[in-house]
């Protein structure tokens, strides 16, 4: 039973890495085409999922993406709560584990969106959810400071991505030999660097929202692409970062196959969740 539980979590995690990889390959590919003037659109993950939905067997494919993203979110929760990756309880380890839980929340939301689209619900895109909850937060006591802290946190994540890319530690948790790392590492470094740039820009949007007390300043990945395009030689900058997002997606597919996943059994996961939810736990 324990072995079965580990296998379930591991398979969901690998399926999740693959689904996330496919989404970012589409995001990066469409943004690259837009930068080169070949069609496409520099937009976010939800737009990429809607692009799949519009194609042949769209609902079925988006349904699989939704399941995969939900599996990835589950794995992120498991990583954060059970310390499956042995990050430890040092300040750095706790920050990484907290970031994994935050990532789980984000991908759970994206999975729900994909699932709704696959079932024929919510096909018309509504308002900007990020701006909506930022507006709600700004209306609360100390909300201004909380939005600013979120911005700093997102920018810190961007710096962490850039450091990981610069140090070449992107393949540390992959079961690859030296020859395989020779081609996988540059793909991962390029991808993580592009994500780092995007996170820095998105974090800057949150800081601007806090400074001007205006939720309209908050933008996601599409806004980051737009900010790059608005710079001198912006199409070149957009093309580079878009290609990097495609590389990030491709690296996700590599992770789906080769990442070391030390999944706990389901009983251990339940115990960890209960302990984390317990007051003082």
């Amino acid at each position: 039973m324990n072995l079965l539980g580990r296998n379930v979590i591991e398979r969901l995690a690998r399926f999740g890495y693959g689904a996330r990889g496919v989404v970012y390959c589409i995001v990066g590919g469409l943004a690259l085409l837009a930068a080169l003037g070949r069609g496409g659109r520099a937009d976010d993950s939800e737009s990429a999922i809607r692009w799949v939905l519009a194609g042949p067997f769209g609902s079925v494919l988006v349904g699989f993406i939704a399941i995969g993203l939900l599996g990835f979110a589950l794995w992120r929760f498991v990583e954060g709560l059970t310390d499956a990756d042995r990050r430890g309880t040092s300040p750095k380890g706790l920050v990484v584990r907290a970031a994994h839980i935050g990532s789980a929340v984000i991908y759970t939301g994206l999975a729900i969106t994909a699932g709704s689209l696959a079932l024929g619900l919510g096909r018309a895109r509504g308002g900007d959810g990020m701006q909506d909850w930022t507006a709600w937060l700004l209306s609360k006591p100390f909300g201004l400071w909380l939005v600013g802290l979120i911005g700093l946190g997102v920018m810190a994540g961007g710096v962490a991505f850039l450091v990981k890319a610069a140090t070449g530690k992107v393949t540390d948790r992959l079961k690859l030999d030296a020859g395989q790392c020779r081609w996988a590492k540059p793909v991962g470094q390029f991808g993580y660097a592009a994500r780092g740039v995007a996170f820095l820009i998105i974090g800057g949007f949150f800081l601007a929202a806090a400074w001007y007390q205006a939720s309209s300043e908050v933008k996601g990945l599409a806004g980051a692409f737009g900010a790059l395009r608005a710079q001198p030689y912006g199409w070149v900058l957009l093309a580079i970062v878009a290609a990097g997002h495609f590389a990030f997606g491709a690296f996700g597919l590599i992770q789906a196959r080769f990442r070391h996943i030390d999944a706990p059994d389901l009983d251990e996961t339940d115990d960890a969740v209960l302990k984390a939810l317990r007051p003082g736990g």
Side-chain angles (χ1 to χ4, degrees), residues 130 133-134 147-148 150-151 154 202-211 218-219:
M130 189 181 297
W133 66 255
T134 302
V147 171
I150 291 171
V154 173
I202 294 169
F205 290 147
F206 276 97
L207 291 181
W211 181 262
V218 173
K219 300 178 180 66

Side-chain angles (χ1 to χ4, degrees), residues 30-182:
L30 292 176
L32 181 58
L33 290 174
L36 298 176
R38 302 289 182 177
R41 184 176 178 181
D43 217 320
D44 56 16
S45 301
E46 182 180 338
S47 292
I49 293 172
R50 289 178 180 274
W51 181 85
V52 175
L53 184 68
F57 307 105
S59 294
V60 175
L61 295 176
V62 170
F64 280 118
I65 289 174
I67 295 170
L69 293 175
L70 197 59
F72 184 75
L74 172 64
W75 170 239
R76 283 304 200 207
F77 272 123
V78 170
E79 281 185 298
L81 294 176
T82 70
D83 196 19
D85 277 338
R86 307 293 187 269
R87 303 284 183 177
T89 56
S90 66
K92 179 181 177 180
L94 291 175
V95 167
V96 172
R97 291 169 63 183
H100 284 161
I101 293 175
S103 174
V105 173
I106 292 170
Y107 281 103
T108 297
L110 188 59
I112 292 172
T113 297
S116 298
L117 291 171
L119 294 173
L121 306 173
R123 288 181 181 269
R125 188 161 186 167
D128 191 318
M130 189 181 297
Q131 291 184 357
D132 290 343
W133 66 255
T134 302
W136 176 84
L137 197 57
L138 285 171
S139 69
K140 304 301 177 183
F142 304 106
L144 177 71
W145 298 100
L146 291 175
V147 171
L149 286 174
I150 291 171
L152 291 175
V154 173
M155 295 185 77
V159 171
F161 275 131
L162 291 171
V163 169
K164 193 168 185 176
T167 58
K169 293 183 178 181
V170 295
T171 56
D172 286 358
R173 297 184 183 275
L174 300 185
K175 294 180 286 187
L176 298 174
D177 59 35
Q180 292 170 319
C181 279
R182 193 173 298 116

